[in-house]
């Protein structure tokens, strides 16, 4: 097939790029065999590319190009929907759920028998609200606080577990069941001495060994309830198990760890690392997803991690973002093999920062 160079100013959507396009980057900003879209054209313009090699030369007038990029095309910023106007409503519903669940756990700590049906009725409406509006999921980290972390964490794990399972294609009944299991996964913490659970400093080995017992306590508290299926009770017991056998309480591995346990586990780790705690500052959600994928490789089911990334790690060209160093800018290009580390054009000086080569930085937050 005939190939030729063509000026970027003469390109139009639909033309096929015949060679990778690099601009002082480790990854191509446009890959070979890509069919150009209006979005690709904006990227080439932004990086100052003058000409590219294509399968065949097609020349169009500049005003035709403007028309193809403008009318009828989707602007990059339209990819990210704005948070719905009812944010205040979901915050109110969330706060009420937290307070109600806190009262319930306080009564369990005092020796009252757990009422799982009551927990289901007070938490599932909130879970459903979030999974029906998944764009609201990032608000979980905004709503959480270090003072009542245990209660925030329980509710958030339930919401995230339900959202991940829905993303993976689970039926609604199973999704809500897993949401309830996520909420109850740490209920056994009420059996641990508050001097340990509320300790501001890092735990000693003996204290951590005591905390590890919470999965067994949680199972004991829910095992007789008819409102949770047996596989959900197993997920509660196993939510700190890992596929490589490094988890607890039994140290089981591979197919001995259920996928439902893995979903709750990933939800648990993600929220714990992205939330403010008395002994640890919160981390970037995008950095945490990257950590789960790379540093914790082999511990979690890749299908579960992929679902989490689809829900909370989506980055698109045109998004306004804040970096972990406080600088803000626009996403100019997203690497196919490193989607969490895009190229960002900084507002302060217009320079383009490639996060694949600046590993000390990460996306902190999507602004719009």
């Amino acid at each position: 097939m005939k190939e030729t160079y063509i000026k970027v100013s003469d390109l139009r959507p639909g033309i096929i790029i015949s060679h990778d396009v690099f601009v002082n980057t480790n990854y191509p900003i446009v890959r070979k065999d890509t069919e150009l879209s209006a979005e690709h054209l904006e990227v080439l313009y932004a990086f100052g590319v003058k000409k590219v090699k294509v399968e065949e030369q097609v020349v169009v007038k500049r005003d035709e190009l403007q028309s193809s990029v403008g009318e009828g095309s989707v602007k990059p910023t339209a990819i990210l929907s704005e948070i719905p106007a009812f944010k205040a409503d979901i915050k109110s519903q969330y706060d009420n759920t937290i307070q109600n669940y806190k009262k319930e756990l306080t009564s369990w700590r005092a020796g009252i028998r757990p009422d799982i049906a009551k927990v289901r009725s007070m938490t599932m409406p909130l879970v459903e609200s979030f999974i029906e509006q998944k764009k609201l999921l990032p608000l979980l980290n905004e709503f959480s606080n270090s003072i009542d972390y245990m209660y925030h964490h329980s509710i958030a794990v339930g919401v995230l577990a339900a959202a991940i399972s829905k993303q993976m294609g689970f039926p609604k009944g199973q999704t809500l069941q897993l949401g309830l299991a996520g909420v109850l996964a740490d209920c056994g913490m009420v059996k641990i001495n508050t001097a340990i659970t509320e300790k501001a400093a890092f735990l000693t080995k003996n204290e951590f060994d005591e905390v590890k017992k919470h999965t067994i306590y949680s199972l004991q508290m829910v095992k007789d309830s008819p409102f949770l299926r047996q596989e959900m009770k197993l997920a509660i017991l196993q939510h700190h198990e890992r596929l490589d056998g490094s988890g607890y309480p039994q140290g089981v591995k591979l197919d001995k760890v259920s996928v439902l346990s893995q979903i709750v586990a990933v939800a648990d780790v993600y929220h714990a690392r992205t939330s403010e705690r008395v002994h640890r500052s919160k981390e970037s959600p995008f950095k945490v997803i990257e950590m789960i994928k790379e540093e914790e490789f082999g511990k979690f089911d890749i299908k579960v991690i992929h679902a989490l990334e689809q829900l909370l790690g989506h980055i698109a060209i045109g998004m306004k973002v804040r970096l972990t160093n406080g600088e803000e800018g626009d996403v100019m290009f997203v690497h196919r093999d490193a989607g969490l580390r895009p190229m960002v054009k900084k507002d302060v000086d217009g320079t383009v920062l490639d996060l694949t080569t600046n590993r000390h930085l990460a996306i902190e937050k999507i602004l719009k």
Side-chain angles (χ1 to χ4, degrees), residues 148-200:
D148 286 331
Y149 169 77
M150 185 171 76
Y151 315 109
H152 287 278
H153 183 62
S154 295
I155 298 303
V157 170
V159 168
L160 290 168
I164 291 170
S165 60
K166 181 181 180 182
Q167 185 71 28
M168 293 175 69
F170 283 72
K172 184 173 182 179
Q174 198 167 17
T175 290
L176 294 179
Q177 270 279 297
L178 196 56
L180 182 58
V183 169
L184 293 165
D186 281 350
C187 69
M189 283 290 192
V190 300
K191 302 295 185 183
I192 309 295
N193 192 313
T194 55
I196 295 176
T197 59
E198 297 176 4
K199 185 178 179 180

Side-chain angles (χ1 to χ4, degrees), residues 26-41:
N26 289 338
Y27 299 90
I29 62 170
V30 181
R31 291 182 179 273
K32 176 183 177 181
D33 298 327
T34 295
E35 180 177 333
L36 292 178
S37 65
E39 200 169 272
H40 291 124
L41 296 179

Side-chain angles (χ1 to χ4, degrees), residues 96-331:
N96 287 336
T97 303
I98 292 294
Q99 292 307 311
N100 289 335
Y101 190 59
K102 181 178 180 179
K103 291 176 184 176
E104 201 65 17
L105 284 190
T106 300
S107 71
W108 297 359
R109 182 176 282 116
I112 302 298
R113 183 182 179 86
D115 186 341
I116 307 305
K118 185 176 180 181
V119 172
R120 184 179 66 175
S121 66
M122 72 171 59
T123 60
M124 287 307 98
L126 180 71
V127 170
E128 289 194 78
S129 293
F130 271 101
I131 63 176
E132 288 170 3
Q133 294 287 336
K134 61 183 182 181
K135 295 290 185 184
L136 296 174
L137 290 172
L139 293 176
L140 289 170
N141 306 114
E142 182 180 321
F143 292 165
S144 184
N145 66 61
S146 60
I147 299 174
D148 286 331
Y149 169 77
M150 185 171 76
Y151 315 109
H152 287 278
H153 183 62
S154 295
I155 298 303
V157 170
V159 168
L160 290 168
I164 291 170
S165 60
K166 181 181 180 182
Q167 185 71 28
M168 293 175 69
F170 283 72
K172 184 173 182 179
Q174 198 167 17
T175 290
L176 294 179
Q177 270 279 297
L178 196 56
L180 182 58
V183 169
L184 293 165
D186 281 350
C187 69
M189 283 290 192
V190 300
K191 302 295 185 183
I192 309 295
N193 192 313
T194 55
I196 295 176
T197 59
E198 297 176 4
K199 185 178 179 180
F202 284 99
L203 302 180
T204 65
K205 182 182 182 304
N206 288 339
E207 289 170 336
F208 186 53
D209 286 341
E210 186 64 25
V211 168
K212 285 181 177 181
K213 297 176 184 177
H214 80 274
T215 58
I216 296 174
Y217 295 149
S218 294
L219 176 63
Q220 291 173 344
M221 293 169 70
V222 304
K223 67 182 178 66
D224 295 327
S225 174
F227 297 99
L228 269 177
R229 301 171 190 168
Q230 288 303 119
E231 61 267 29
M232 302 303 168
K233 296 172 184 177
L234 179 62
I236 288 173
L237 175 67
Q238 290 190 338
H239 76 281
H240 280 287
E241 299 287 5
R242 301 293 182 258
L243 295 181
D244 62 358
S246 63
Y248 63 86
Q250 298 171 309
V252 294
K253 62 173 67 175
L254 299 176
D255 59 348
K256 298 295 184 182
V257 183
S258 78
V259 67
L260 300 179
S261 308
Q262 281 276 291
I263 292 172
V264 178
V266 168
D268 176 78
V269 170
Y270 173 82
H271 186 260
R273 296 290 293 265
T274 58
S275 299
E276 199 74 35
R277 304 171 71 176
V278 291
H279 62 278
R280 178 189 292 165
S281 297
K282 63 181 179 181
E283 299 178 64
S284 155
F286 301 95
K287 187 175 180 180
V288 170
I289 294 174
E290 187 176 59
M291 178 275 296
I292 295 173
K293 288 176 64 178
E294 298 177 3
E295 296 179 26
E296 302 294 326
F297 181 78
K299 296 180 183 293
F300 301 103
D301 188 319
I302 192 65
K303 295 189 296 296
V304 179
I305 298 173
H306 181 60
L308 175 69
E309 186 172 0
Q310 288 177 313
L311 285 169
L312 290 156
H314 176 68
I315 298 172
I317 294 172
M319 286 181 172
K320 174 71 70 176
V321 298
R322 179 181 298 130
L323 303 178
T324 48
N325 65 354
E327 291 187 305
E328 297 179 2
D330 298 311
V331 174

